[in-house]
Amino acid sequence: MRRPVFAANWKMNHGPTAARAFVAGFTARWSPRDDRTVLLFPPAISLTTVVHALGSREDIGVGVQNIWTDDTGAFTGESSAPMAKDAGARFVLVGHSERRHVFGETDAEAAKKCAAAARNDLTPILCVGELLAERESGATFDVVLRQLDAGLSLLDADAIASMAIAYEPVWAIGSGKTATPSDASAVHAQLRHALEKRVGAAARAIPILYGGSVNAGNATSLLSASGVDGLLVGGASLEPDTWVSICEA
Ligand code: 13P
């Protein structure tokens, strides 16, 4: 059994002051549980604050929302995998829909970012998801499988077996619309099948998260959908009480 993963993507919210307050509020209400994994993805500028505020709470993992493809160099404004690792991150989101659709990130860049994460011992969570027009034209499976194949293309089987995938339909992100549990299951099954084709039985260890308008009211039904191993949550992860309720789903 894969342990359910609850991942909070704060996006561009919670600078250091708000991040510290969140961690104080969340850790006061959330005790370590060995039947689930909780991850926080603060903005890079709040990463060290979150790591320090968590102190000995090693049950709560921390990651960054993005990295650059190279490890050092003249890339003004970017952060690299070794820097994120040094600052206390253990995970990184790669190819999030906002990176792809707001910042124009390509499949090829997502592949290089997964490789940068893997060579620096950060666990990538590769995000895939279709636009509304792609869903309506019946292209959902093609799109997510293309993104998956491309994103994994530079990784060896061991690196793939130790990473995670997130299915986030673009039309569900921040929109209040979610995939139905059965729609999510159908996509997750396709992703699982593609992972098995690549790495065989080791694919069973790879958590596949669902994201897109998850909240305290729908978390339980989405998490109980077949093939959904966790939740990647944006807006509803910003406030400690709500985040506790979601992590209890
Ligand atoms: P919302 O939960 O705000 O829809 O965001 C989902 C998301 O993009 C998480 O990465």
Side-chain angles (χ1 to χ4, degrees), residues 170-192:
V170 180
W171 48 269
I173 295 178
S175 65
K177 297 182 192 136
T178 57
T180 64
S182 74
D183 284 344
S185 287
V187 175
H188 284 225
Q190 293 285 322
L191 294 169
R192 176 78 53 207

Side-chain angles (χ1 to χ4, degrees), residues 85-216:
K85 184 88 201 292
D86 183 24
R90 285 158 39 209
F91 301 86
V92 55
L93 301 179
V94 175
H96 187 275
S97 127
E98 286 138 27
R99 298 303 316 168
R100 293 177 189 270
H101 298 294
V102 180
F103 300 101
E105 189 168 305
T106 62
D107 278 338
E109 282 168 336
K112 286 189 195 166
K113 291 180 179 190
C114 282
R119 76 172 170 266
N120 287 289
D121 198 23
L122 280 182
T123 301
I125 302 183
L126 175 66
C127 305
V128 300
E130 82 286 2
L131 297 162
L132 183 58
E134 292 166 336
R135 169 155 288 264
E136 287 173 346
S137 69
T140 297
F141 294 164
D142 288 347
V143 169
V144 300
L145 293 176
R146 187 205 75 224
Q147 292 171 335
L148 182 76
D149 261 2
L152 303 183
S153 60
L154 302 176
L155 299 180
D156 63 21
D158 284 349
I160 293 172
S162 59
M163 67 187 291
I165 307 295
Y167 168 53
E168 297 204 306
V170 180
W171 48 269
I173 295 178
S175 65
K177 297 182 192 136
T178 57
T180 64
S182 74
D183 284 344
S185 287
V187 175
H188 284 225
Q190 293 285 322
L191 294 169
R192 176 78 53 207
H193 183 62
L195 291 167
E196 280 166 358
K197 277 206 293 197
R198 271 186 179 263
V199 299
R204 290 193 206 123
I206 304 171
I208 306 179
L209 283 55
Y210 169 80
S213 293
V214 175
N215 58 41

Side-chain angles (χ1 to χ4, degrees), residues 8-64:
N9 174 10
W10 291 352
K11 308 193 180 186
M12 201 176 70
N13 297 285
H14 289 351
T17 305
R20 194 178 299 111
F22 177 98
V23 172
F26 180 60
T27 52
R29 297 168 181 75
W30 179 256
S31 304
R33 285 177 61 161
D34 56 16
D35 63 342
R36 52 201 56 213
T37 299
V38 175
L39 307 177
L40 303 178
F41 291 84
I45 204 157
S46 301
L47 175 65
T48 48
T49 300
V50 168
V51 169
H52 288 135
L54 285 170
S56 60
R57 287 298 299 268
E58 285 179 6
D59 60 302
I60 301 170
V62 182
V64 283

